[in-house]
Structure formats: structure tokens, C-alpha cells
Amino acid sequence: MAAYRFLVNLTYVGLLGALLLGGCPAADSTAAKTPVLGITARATGVQTATVPSNNDILVAQVLKLVNDRRTWIGLNELTLNPVLSKMAEAYASDMIERDFFAHQNPNDPEDPGDRAIKAGYVFIEIGENLAAGQETAEQVVSEWMASPEHRDIILGPQWREMGVGIRIGGEYNVYWVLEFGNPP
């Protein structure tokens, strides 16, 4: 069966604008090659999102890879925020269980800013990167960095916090969500 991989990004700007940077440092080829564990064959019908058995390792790898790229160009490291992480996990699950892949559920008008407010996250700006089908943290971060729009989100100088959500299921087997936050 063919492998499917997709990327989507979005920045939701609150009251203050943002300056987004370009640039892409060389990837650390020794890090984050741990595959997502628990992947099963694609199924049809009702989908249930599941947590990878090595979720904590994958989240740590994504955070490290993002921070490596940010610090390489002189930006601050991001801290993992539990509210943003819960938001990212819930959205990855929602995409699987309601069978869509986009920043906005076609059946629900909420965008990342609305979801952040609903989750209780107070922000000046929210950014979101989505991906599906990648089997390692290194692969997904490399693909985000190869896409100018995704790279601009990752390297946004305004971000201070990040949430990571990884879920298994659905059409693409693995769904990745990054939520970036700039709290007041």
C-alpha cells in the first residue's frame, strides 16, 4: 500500500502581529529516528484514535528537533505547555475520528484560535502545523522544515511555548499536530 504524507500549516494572529523568519539548519541525523509504535494497517469504517506506546519519547524528540533548529539561528527554545499539548492531542484525535485533515473540521467552525480559547489557553498569537503519515519525529520535522510555510511557523520568533499531539489511526495511520503559543 502506498505511503501517504501530508502537511498543513496555519497561523492565527491575535491582537499583535508577527514577524516570521526563514532558514533551515542541517538536521541532526542521529536524533529522533524512533518510529511511531502501535501503527496498524489502515482500516475502514469508524476510526478510534490511539496513543502511540512510545508517545513520551516521540514528543520529546519533536520538541528537541524544533528547539535545535530554533537555537541554531539564535531563537529562544520553546517549552512544552500542557494545555497546548492537550489541545494538539485532542485535535489529532478529532481528525482521525471524524475523518478529515485540515485546520478546521468541515463540520465545526472552530479554528486553532477558537480551540485555544476553548481549552483555556490565553494567547497573543497561536500557530499550528499539521502532518499525517510520517513515521518518525525526524521525518515529520524535516518535512515541515522543507516547506517554507511550515518552517516559518516553527521559526517564528514570537513563540515561547509549544504543544505536541501524536495519534495513530485514520486514513494516514499517524497524525502529528504542533500548537505554538505566544502568551501575554
Side-chain angles (χ1 to χ4, degrees):
M1 183 170 279
Y4 298 99
R5 294 193 310 268
F6 294 94
L7 303 170
V8 182
N9 78 320
L10 179 75
T11 301
Y12 179 89
V13 179
L15 298 175
L16 300 179
L19 170 66
L20 298 176
L21 298 177
C24 181
D28 177 359
S29 62
T30 62
K33 292 184 180 177
T34 305
V36 177
L37 297 180
I39 297 174
T40 58
R42 288 177 180 84
T44 58
V46 176
Q47 295 290 314
T48 302
T50 59
V51 179
S53 59
N54 59 341
N55 190 67
D56 292 345
I57 292 167
L58 295 167
V59 168
Q61 289 175 344
V62 169
L63 181 64
K64 181 183 181 336
L65 289 167
V66 165
N67 279 334
D68 286 350
R69 282 153 175 84
R70 289 177 62 81
T71 59
W72 189 81
I73 63 168
L75 294 172
N76 63 301
E77 285 191 359
L78 303 177
T79 58
L80 199 61
N81 178 283
V83 174
L84 290 175
S85 288
K86 285 186 190 309
M87 183 178 141
E89 293 163 354
Y91 199 61
S93 294
D94 193 35
M95 287 191 291
I96 291 168
E97 293 168 2
R98 294 169 77 183
D99 193 26
F100 71 95
F101 182 74
H103 290 285
Q104 187 172 15
N105 182 324
N107 303 310
D108 186 341
E110 291 182 339
D111 61 27
D114 296 324
R115 291 193 302 275
I117 291 167
K118 190 175 183 178
Y121 185 76
V122 179
F123 63 93
I124 297 168
E125 186 172 2
I126 285 287
E128 180 175 82
N129 278 356
L130 305 178
Q134 298 79 5
E135 295 186 8
T136 66
E138 180 181 61
Q139 183 183 18
V140 74
V141 173
S142 291
E143 289 183 20
W144 277 325
M145 292 302 291
S147 161
E149 296 85 9
H150 293 90
R151 181 180 56 242
D152 287 349
I153 298 270
I154 288 171
L155 300 179
Q158 73 276 21
W159 308 131
R160 295 196 329 235
E161 301 174 329
M162 183 173 84
V164 180
I166 308 157
R167 290 296 180 263
I168 299 170
E171 182 178 354
Y172 307 112
N173 280 341
V174 183
Y175 289 66
W176 306 79
V177 178
L178 293 186
E179 302 291 356
F180 296 89
N182 181 11

PDB file of all heavy atoms in Angstrom, residues 24-58:
ATOM      1  N   CYS A  24      16.853  27.238   7.508  1.00  0.00           N
ATOM      2  CA  CYS A  24      16.711  25.840   7.915  1.00  0.00           C
ATOM      3  C   CYS A  24      18.082  25.264   8.199  1.00  0.00           C
ATOM      4  O   CYS A  24      18.873  25.083   7.286  1.00  0.00           O
ATOM      5  CB  CYS A  24      16.011  25.049   6.818  1.00  0.00           C
ATOM      6  SG  CYS A  24      15.767  23.326   7.222  1.00  0.00           S
ATOM      7  N   PRO A  25      18.424  24.997   9.447  1.00  0.00           N
ATOM      8  CA  PRO A  25      19.709  24.399   9.748  1.00  0.00           C
ATOM      9  C   PRO A  25      19.730  22.937   9.337  1.00  0.00           C
ATOM     10  O   PRO A  25      18.700  22.327   9.093  1.00  0.00           O
ATOM     11  CB  PRO A  25      19.813  24.533  11.274  1.00  0.00           C
ATOM     12  CG  PRO A  25      18.390  24.515  11.713  1.00  0.00           C
ATOM     13  CD  PRO A  25      17.628  25.228  10.622  1.00  0.00           C
ATOM     14  N   ALA A  26      20.901  22.392   9.298  1.00  0.00           N
ATOM     15  CA  ALA A  26      21.041  20.961   9.000  1.00  0.00           C
ATOM     16  C   ALA A  26      20.409  20.148  10.111  1.00  0.00           C
ATOM     17  O   ALA A  26      20.517  20.473  11.290  1.00  0.00           O
ATOM     18  CB  ALA A  26      22.521  20.617   8.868  1.00  0.00           C
ATOM     19  N   ALA A  27      19.736  19.080   9.740  1.00  0.00           N
ATOM     20  CA  ALA A  27      19.088  18.214  10.728  1.00  0.00           C
ATOM     21  C   ALA A  27      20.120  17.379  11.458  1.00  0.00           C
ATOM     22  O   ALA A  27      21.145  17.011  10.900  1.00  0.00           O
ATOM     23  CB  ALA A  27      18.091  17.300  10.034  1.00  0.00           C
ATOM     24  N   ASP A  28      19.864  17.079  12.711  1.00  0.00           N
ATOM     25  CA  ASP A  28      20.697  16.178  13.495  1.00  0.00           C
ATOM     26  C   ASP A  28      20.325  14.764  13.085  1.00  0.00           C
ATOM     27  O   ASP A  28      19.283  14.241  13.464  1.00  0.00           O
ATOM     28  CB  ASP A  28      20.436  16.407  14.983  1.00  0.00           C
ATOM     29  CG  ASP A  28      21.218  15.458  15.871  1.00  0.00           C
ATOM     30  OD1 ASP A  28      21.955  14.607  15.340  1.00  0.00           O
ATOM     31  OD2 ASP A  28      21.085  15.578  17.098  1.00  0.00           O
ATOM     32  N   SER A  29      21.187  14.132  12.292  1.00  0.00           N
ATOM     33  CA  SER A  29      20.840  12.833  11.720  1.00  0.00           C
ATOM     34  C   SER A  29      20.858  11.705  12.734  1.00  0.00           C
ATOM     35  O   SER A  29      20.423  10.603  12.433  1.00  0.00           O
ATOM     36  CB  SER A  29      21.792  12.508  10.570  1.00  0.00           C
ATOM     37  OG  SER A  29      23.109  12.422  11.055  1.00  0.00           O
ATOM     38  N   THR A  30      21.348  11.948  13.936  1.00  0.00           N
ATOM     39  CA  THR A  30      21.396  10.879  14.932  1.00  0.00           C
ATOM     40  C   THR A  30      20.194  10.881  15.861  1.00  0.00           C
ATOM     41  O   THR A  30      20.021   9.952  16.631  1.00  0.00           O
ATOM     42  CB  THR A  30      22.671  11.009  15.793  1.00  0.00           C
ATOM     43  OG1 THR A  30      22.619  12.249  16.495  1.00  0.00           O
ATOM     44  CG2 THR A  30      23.920  10.936  14.939  1.00  0.00           C
ATOM     45  N   ALA A  31      19.375  11.910  15.797  1.00  0.00           N
ATOM     46  CA  ALA A  31      18.263  12.033  16.741  1.00  0.00           C
ATOM     47  C   ALA A  31      16.931  11.691  16.097  1.00  0.00           C
ATOM     48  O   ALA A  31      16.741  11.837  14.905  1.00  0.00           O
ATOM     49  CB  ALA A  31      18.208  13.465  17.282  1.00  0.00           C
ATOM     50  N   ALA A  32      16.022  11.242  16.895  1.00  0.00           N
ATOM     51  CA  ALA A  32      14.606  11.146  16.555  1.00  0.00           C
ATOM     52  C   ALA A  32      14.281  10.171  15.437  1.00  0.00           C
ATOM     53  O   ALA A  32      13.412  10.421  14.634  1.00  0.00           O
ATOM     54  CB  ALA A  32      14.063  12.524  16.242  1.00  0.00           C
ATOM     55  N   LYS A  33      14.980   9.060  15.377  1.00  0.00           N
ATOM     56  CA  LYS A  33      14.678   8.062  14.365  1.00  0.00           C
ATOM     57  C   LYS A  33      13.816   6.933  14.927  1.00  0.00           C
ATOM     58  O   LYS A  33      13.650   5.905  14.309  1.00  0.00           O
ATOM     59  CB  LYS A  33      15.963   7.497  13.778  1.00  0.00           C
ATOM     60  CG  LYS A  33      16.717   8.538  12.966  1.00  0.00           C
ATOM     61  CD  LYS A  33      17.930   7.968  12.308  1.00  0.00           C
ATOM     62  CE  LYS A  33      18.627   9.054  11.510  1.00  0.00           C
ATOM     63  NZ  LYS A  33      19.842   8.585  10.896  1.00  0.00           N
ATOM     64  N   THR A  34      13.276   7.151  16.106  1.00  0.00           N
ATOM     65  CA  THR A  34      12.408   6.159  16.717  1.00  0.00           C
ATOM     66  C   THR A  34      11.078   6.158  15.987  1.00  0.00           C
ATOM     67  O   THR A  34      10.398   7.173  15.951  1.00  0.00           O
ATOM     68  CB  THR A  34      12.174   6.494  18.205  1.00  0.00           C
ATOM     69  OG1 THR A  34      13.426   6.610  18.857  1.00  0.00           O
ATOM     70  CG2 THR A  34      11.319   5.438  18.872  1.00  0.00           C
ATOM     71  N   PRO A  35      10.685   5.031  15.378  1.00  0.00           N
ATOM     72  CA  PRO A  35       9.397   5.018  14.684  1.00  0.00           C
ATOM     73  C   PRO A  35       8.236   5.042  15.666  1.00  0.00           C
ATOM     74  O   PRO A  35       8.364   4.644  16.822  1.00  0.00           O
ATOM     75  CB  PRO A  35       9.426   3.699  13.907  1.00  0.00           C
ATOM     76  CG  PRO A  35      10.375   2.837  14.656  1.00  0.00           C
ATOM     77  CD  PRO A  35      11.380   3.758  15.306  1.00  0.00           C
ATOM     78  N   VAL A  36       7.100   5.523  15.194  1.00  0.00           N
ATOM     79  CA  VAL A  36       5.881   5.503  15.994  1.00  0.00           C
ATOM     80  C   VAL A  36       5.497   4.044  16.197  1.00  0.00           C
ATOM     81  O   VAL A  36       5.392   3.284  15.238  1.00  0.00           O
ATOM     82  CB  VAL A  36       4.740   6.262  15.283  1.00  0.00           C
ATOM     83  CG1 VAL A  36       3.459   6.163  16.086  1.00  0.00           C
ATOM     84  CG2 VAL A  36       5.127   7.719  15.063  1.00  0.00           C
ATOM     85  N   LEU A  37       5.316   3.646  17.448  1.00  0.00           N
ATOM     86  CA  LEU A  37       4.949   2.261  17.743  1.00  0.00           C
ATOM     87  C   LEU A  37       3.443   2.138  17.871  1.00  0.00           C
ATOM     88  O   LEU A  37       2.776   3.008  18.405  1.00  0.00           O
ATOM     89  CB  LEU A  37       5.614   1.792  19.037  1.00  0.00           C
ATOM     90  CG  LEU A  37       7.145   1.767  19.013  1.00  0.00           C
ATOM     91  CD1 LEU A  37       7.673   1.291  20.355  1.00  0.00           C
ATOM     92  CD2 LEU A  37       7.669   0.888  17.900  1.00  0.00           C
ATOM     93  N   GLY A  38       2.915   1.038  17.400  1.00  0.00           N
ATOM     94  CA  GLY A  38       1.498   0.776  17.518  1.00  0.00           C
ATOM     95  C   GLY A  38       0.743   1.002  16.227  1.00  0.00           C
ATOM     96  O   GLY A  38      -0.466   0.915  16.185  1.00  0.00           O
ATOM     97  N   ILE A  39       1.465   1.294  15.117  1.00  0.00           N
ATOM     98  CA  ILE A  39       0.805   1.503  13.835  1.00  0.00           C
ATOM     99  C   ILE A  39       0.223   0.178  13.366  1.00  0.00           C
ATOM    100  O   ILE A  39       0.874  -0.852  13.400  1.00  0.00           O
ATOM    101  CB  ILE A  39       1.788   2.041  12.772  1.00  0.00           C
ATOM    102  CG1 ILE A  39       2.326   3.405  13.177  1.00  0.00           C
ATOM    103  CG2 ILE A  39       1.126   2.114  11.406  1.00  0.00           C
ATOM    104  CD1 ILE A  39       3.393   3.935  12.257  1.00  0.00           C
ATOM    105  N   THR A  40      -1.004   0.225  12.930  1.00  0.00           N
ATOM    106  CA  THR A  40      -1.642  -0.957  12.355  1.00  0.00           C
ATOM    107  C   THR A  40      -2.065  -0.651  10.930  1.00  0.00           C
ATOM    108  O   THR A  40      -2.024   0.501  10.498  1.00  0.00           O
ATOM    109  CB  THR A  40      -2.885  -1.367  13.179  1.00  0.00           C
ATOM    110  OG1 THR A  40      -3.782  -0.256  13.197  1.00  0.00           O
ATOM    111  CG2 THR A  40      -2.511  -1.746  14.589  1.00  0.00           C
ATOM    112  N   ALA A  41      -2.470  -1.673  10.218  1.00  0.00           N
ATOM    113  CA  ALA A  41      -2.913  -1.474   8.839  1.00  0.00           C
ATOM    114  C   ALA A  41      -4.094  -0.511   8.798  1.00  0.00           C
ATOM    115  O   ALA A  41      -4.884  -0.448   9.734  1.00  0.00           O
ATOM    116  CB  ALA A  41      -3.302  -2.811   8.231  1.00  0.00           C
ATOM    117  N   ARG A  42      -4.220   0.202   7.711  1.00  0.00           N
ATOM    118  CA  ARG A  42      -5.342   1.119   7.546  1.00  0.00           C
ATOM    119  C   ARG A  42      -6.647   0.338   7.610  1.00  0.00           C
ATOM    120  O   ARG A  42      -6.774  -0.717   7.030  1.00  0.00           O
ATOM    121  CB  ARG A  42      -5.223   1.857   6.226  1.00  0.00           C
ATOM    122  CG  ARG A  42      -4.121   2.883   6.235  1.00  0.00           C
ATOM    123  CD  ARG A  42      -4.007   3.548   4.865  1.00  0.00           C
ATOM    124  NE  ARG A  42      -2.950   4.528   4.891  1.00  0.00           N
ATOM    125  CZ  ARG A  42      -1.664   4.238   4.710  1.00  0.00           C
ATOM    126  NH1 ARG A  42      -1.284   3.012   4.502  1.00  0.00           N
ATOM    127  NH2 ARG A  42      -0.760   5.192   4.747  1.00  0.00           N
ATOM    128  N   ALA A  43      -7.597   0.892   8.278  1.00  0.00           N
ATOM    129  CA  ALA A  43      -8.895   0.238   8.415  1.00  0.00           C
ATOM    130  C   ALA A  43      -9.978   1.120   7.816  1.00  0.00           C
ATOM    131  O   ALA A  43      -9.790   2.317   7.642  1.00  0.00           O
ATOM    132  CB  ALA A  43      -9.186  -0.035   9.886  1.00  0.00           C
ATOM    133  N   THR A  44     -11.094   0.524   7.518  1.00  0.00           N
ATOM    134  CA  THR A  44     -12.214   1.303   7.014  1.00  0.00           C
ATOM    135  C   THR A  44     -13.273   1.393   8.094  1.00  0.00           C
ATOM    136  O   THR A  44     -13.249   0.659   9.067  1.00  0.00           O
ATOM    137  CB  THR A  44     -12.804   0.640   5.762  1.00  0.00           C
ATOM    138  OG1 THR A  44     -13.212  -0.684   6.109  1.00  0.00           O
ATOM    139  CG2 THR A  44     -11.793   0.593   4.640  1.00  0.00           C
ATOM    140  N   GLY A  45     -14.219   2.296   7.919  1.00  0.00           N
ATOM    141  CA  GLY A  45     -15.299   2.423   8.884  1.00  0.00           C
ATOM    142  C   GLY A  45     -14.930   3.357  10.011  1.00  0.00           C
ATOM    143  O   GLY A  45     -14.098   4.250   9.870  1.00  0.00           O
ATOM    144  N   VAL A  46     -15.529   3.142  11.163  1.00  0.00           N
ATOM    145  CA  VAL A  46     -15.325   4.004  12.327  1.00  0.00           C
ATOM    146  C   VAL A  46     -13.881   3.882  12.803  1.00  0.00           C
ATOM    147  O   VAL A  46     -13.352   2.783  12.949  1.00  0.00           O
ATOM    148  CB  VAL A  46     -16.306   3.627  13.455  1.00  0.00           C
ATOM    149  CG1 VAL A  46     -16.035   4.458  14.692  1.00  0.00           C
ATOM    150  CG2 VAL A  46     -17.736   3.800  12.991  1.00  0.00           C
ATOM    151  N   GLN A  47     -13.260   5.019  13.030  1.00  0.00           N
ATOM    152  CA  GLN A  47     -11.865   5.053  13.476  1.00  0.00           C
ATOM    153  C   GLN A  47     -11.787   5.527  14.920  1.00  0.00           C
ATOM    154  O   GLN A  47     -12.508   6.439  15.312  1.00  0.00           O
ATOM    155  CB  GLN A  47     -11.055   6.000  12.594  1.00  0.00           C
ATOM    156  CG  GLN A  47     -10.936   5.540  11.171  1.00  0.00           C
ATOM    157  CD  GLN A  47     -10.045   4.320  11.043  1.00  0.00           C
ATOM    158  OE1 GLN A  47      -8.966   4.261  11.612  1.00  0.00           O
ATOM    159  NE2 GLN A  47     -10.510   3.328  10.300  1.00  0.00           N
ATOM    160  N   THR A  48     -10.908   4.924  15.663  1.00  0.00           N
ATOM    161  CA  THR A  48     -10.620   5.365  17.017  1.00  0.00           C
ATOM    162  C   THR A  48      -9.156   5.764  17.067  1.00  0.00           C
ATOM    163  O   THR A  48      -8.291   4.992  16.652  1.00  0.00           O
ATOM    164  CB  THR A  48     -10.889   4.244  18.037  1.00  0.00           C
ATOM    165  OG1 THR A  48     -12.253   3.850  17.922  1.00  0.00           O
ATOM    166  CG2 THR A  48     -10.594   4.708  19.446  1.00  0.00           C
ATOM    167  N   ALA A  49      -8.884   6.938  17.552  1.00  0.00           N
ATOM    168  CA  ALA A  49      -7.505   7.397  17.695  1.00  0.00           C
ATOM    169  C   ALA A  49      -6.878   6.729  18.907  1.00  0.00           C
ATOM    170  O   ALA A  49      -7.511   6.618  19.955  1.00  0.00           O
ATOM    171  CB  ALA A  49      -7.474   8.915  17.860  1.00  0.00           C
ATOM    172  N   THR A  50      -5.638   6.300  18.762  1.00  0.00           N
ATOM    173  CA  THR A  50      -4.920   5.701  19.881  1.00  0.00           C
ATOM    174  C   THR A  50      -3.612   6.439  20.108  1.00  0.00           C
ATOM    175  O   THR A  50      -3.059   7.059  19.196  1.00  0.00           O
ATOM    176  CB  THR A  50      -4.641   4.197  19.653  1.00  0.00           C
ATOM    177  OG1 THR A  50      -3.863   4.047  18.462  1.00  0.00           O
ATOM    178  CG2 THR A  50      -5.918   3.398  19.528  1.00  0.00           C
ATOM    179  N   VAL A  51      -3.133   6.366  21.327  1.00  0.00           N
ATOM    180  CA  VAL A  51      -1.881   6.998  21.715  1.00  0.00           C
ATOM    181  C   VAL A  51      -0.742   6.032  21.379  1.00  0.00           C
ATOM    182  O   VAL A  51      -0.812   4.863  21.737  1.00  0.00           O
ATOM    183  CB  VAL A  51      -1.874   7.308  23.232  1.00  0.00           C
ATOM    184  CG1 VAL A  51      -0.563   7.943  23.652  1.00  0.00           C
ATOM    185  CG2 VAL A  51      -3.053   8.193  23.598  1.00  0.00           C
ATOM    186  N   PRO A  52       0.315   6.500  20.699  1.00  0.00           N
ATOM    187  CA  PRO A  52       1.449   5.612  20.456  1.00  0.00           C
ATOM    188  C   PRO A  52       2.034   5.117  21.774  1.00  0.00           C
ATOM    189  O   PRO A  52       2.088   5.873  22.754  1.00  0.00           O
ATOM    190  CB  PRO A  52       2.459   6.493  19.719  1.00  0.00           C
ATOM    191  CG  PRO A  52       1.691   7.657  19.223  1.00  0.00           C
ATOM    192  CD  PRO A  52       0.524   7.832  20.151  1.00  0.00           C
ATOM    193  N   SER A  53       2.472   3.874  21.805  1.00  0.00           N
ATOM    194  CA  SER A  53       3.026   3.327  23.051  1.00  0.00           C
ATOM    195  C   SER A  53       4.300   4.060  23.472  1.00  0.00           C
ATOM    196  O   SER A  53       4.654   4.053  24.642  1.00  0.00           O
ATOM    197  CB  SER A  53       3.285   1.826  22.915  1.00  0.00           C
ATOM    198  OG  SER A  53       4.195   1.580  21.850  1.00  0.00           O
ATOM    199  N   ASN A  54       4.978   4.708  22.545  1.00  0.00           N
ATOM    200  CA  ASN A  54       6.191   5.473  22.849  1.00  0.00           C
ATOM    201  C   ASN A  54       5.954   6.977  22.703  1.00  0.00           C
ATOM    202  O   ASN A  54       6.856   7.726  22.330  1.00  0.00           O
ATOM    203  CB  ASN A  54       7.341   5.006  21.964  1.00  0.00           C
ATOM    204  CG  ASN A  54       7.042   5.151  20.477  1.00  0.00           C
ATOM    205  OD1 ASN A  54       5.896   5.263  20.064  1.00  0.00           O
ATOM    206  ND2 ASN A  54       8.081   5.134  19.662  1.00  0.00           N
ATOM    207  N   ASN A  55       4.741   7.425  23.025  1.00  0.00           N
ATOM    208  CA  ASN A  55       4.345   8.812  22.852  1.00  0.00           C
ATOM    209  C   ASN A  55       5.295   9.797  23.541  1.00  0.00           C
ATOM    210  O   ASN A  55       5.687  10.803  22.940  1.00  0.00           O
ATOM    211  CB  ASN A  55       2.919   9.014  23.369  1.00  0.00           C
ATOM    212  CG  ASN A  55       2.372  10.369  22.996  1.00  0.00           C
ATOM    213  OD1 ASN A  55       2.141  10.646  21.835  1.00  0.00           O
ATOM    214  ND2 ASN A  55       2.158  11.218  24.000  1.00  0.00           N
ATOM    215  N   ASP A  56       5.664   9.543  24.789  1.00  0.00           N
ATOM    216  CA  ASP A  56       6.529  10.482  25.522  1.00  0.00           C
ATOM    217  C   ASP A  56       7.875  10.659  24.826  1.00  0.00           C
ATOM    218  O   ASP A  56       8.414  11.774  24.777  1.00  0.00           O
ATOM    219  CB  ASP A  56       6.742  10.025  26.967  1.00  0.00           C
ATOM    220  CG  ASP A  56       5.469  10.114  27.802  1.00  0.00           C
ATOM    221  OD1 ASP A  56       4.515  10.786  27.371  1.00  0.00           O
ATOM    222  OD2 ASP A  56       5.437   9.503  28.885  1.00  0.00           O
ATOM    223  N   ILE A  57       8.412   9.581  24.281  1.00  0.00           N
ATOM    224  CA  ILE A  57       9.692   9.649  23.567  1.00  0.00           C
ATOM    225  C   ILE A  57       9.541  10.485  22.308  1.00  0.00           C
ATOM    226  O   ILE A  57      10.369  11.356  22.013  1.00  0.00           O
ATOM    227  CB  ILE A  57      10.199   8.226  23.226  1.00  0.00           C
ATOM    228  CG1 ILE A  57      10.576   7.485  24.508  1.00  0.00           C
ATOM    229  CG2 ILE A  57      11.371   8.273  22.247  1.00  0.00           C
ATOM    230  CD1 ILE A  57      10.782   5.997  24.331  1.00  0.00           C
ATOM    231  N   LEU A  58       8.469  10.249  21.559  1.00  0.00           N
ATOM    232  CA  LEU A  58       8.238  10.991  20.321  1.00  0.00           C
ATOM    233  C   LEU A  58       8.033  12.477  20.577  1.00  0.00           C
ATOM    234  O   LEU A  58       8.580  13.326  19.864  1.00  0.00           O
ATOM    235  CB  LEU A  58       7.042  10.411  19.578  1.00  0.00           C
ATOM    236  CG  LEU A  58       7.214   8.986  19.060  1.00  0.00           C
ATOM    237  CD1 LEU A  58       5.879   8.414  18.629  1.00  0.00           C
ATOM    238  CD2 LEU A  58       8.230   8.929  17.930  1.00  0.00           C
TER     239      LEU A  58
END
